[in-house]
Each structure stands twice: as C-alpha cells, then as structure tokens.
Amino acid sequence: MRELDVLLTNYLENGYAGAGEDEKAAFRKLLTLSDPDLVGYLLQKQVPEPDIAIVIDRILDRTET
C-alpha cells in the first residue's frame, strides 16, 4: 500500500537515525509484519506488542505535526 510506504519512509528519513537501538530494532521488526497488521496498528484498530507500539506512536506523532 502506497500510504504505508509514505508513513514508513517518512519515519526512516526523519526519525530512524536519531532513535535508540531498541527503537531501531523495533522498527526493523515492524517492517517484517504484513500490510494488514501494519494498517491495523497505524489506524489504532489493533494493539501491537509494546516494543512495536513505541515505533507506531513515533510514526503517528510525525504525521500529526
């Protein structure tokens, strides 16, 4: 899905470099998930694992500003 690509690319370009190692690992883990899971997490219709939830929150924070 193009929308997912935009959100994930935005985080990668603007947030990943400044993230801690745990957050970077969680982002890499996030990239292994299926599109339906990603959509569910980003639309806040599903609850992700705590480590992934941190990255989801950062991604969503970036889209609101």
Side-chain angles (χ1 to χ4, degrees):
M1 297 179 82
R2 176 128 174 89
E3 296 84 0
L4 289 177
D5 293 342
V6 169
L7 288 172
L8 297 175
T9 300
N10 182 44
Y11 174 80
L12 183 61
E13 292 175 350
N14 300 301
Y16 185 81
E21 289 305 314
D22 289 343
E23 187 174 327
K24 287 179 179 179
F27 182 72
R28 291 190 300 269
K29 183 177 176 181
L30 180 79
L31 295 177
T32 68
L33 301 175
S34 67
D35 284 356
D37 285 335
L38 288 172
V39 169
Y41 297 151
L42 291 167
L43 293 178
Q44 299 177 319
K45 303 226 181 244
Q46 293 176 263
V47 178
E49 297 174 29
D51 59 338
I52 292 176
I54 293 168
V55 177
I56 295 292
D57 288 343
R58 300 253 198 262
I59 291 168
L60 294 176
D61 284 346
R62 290 194 171 281
T63 61
E64 292 173 2
T65 57

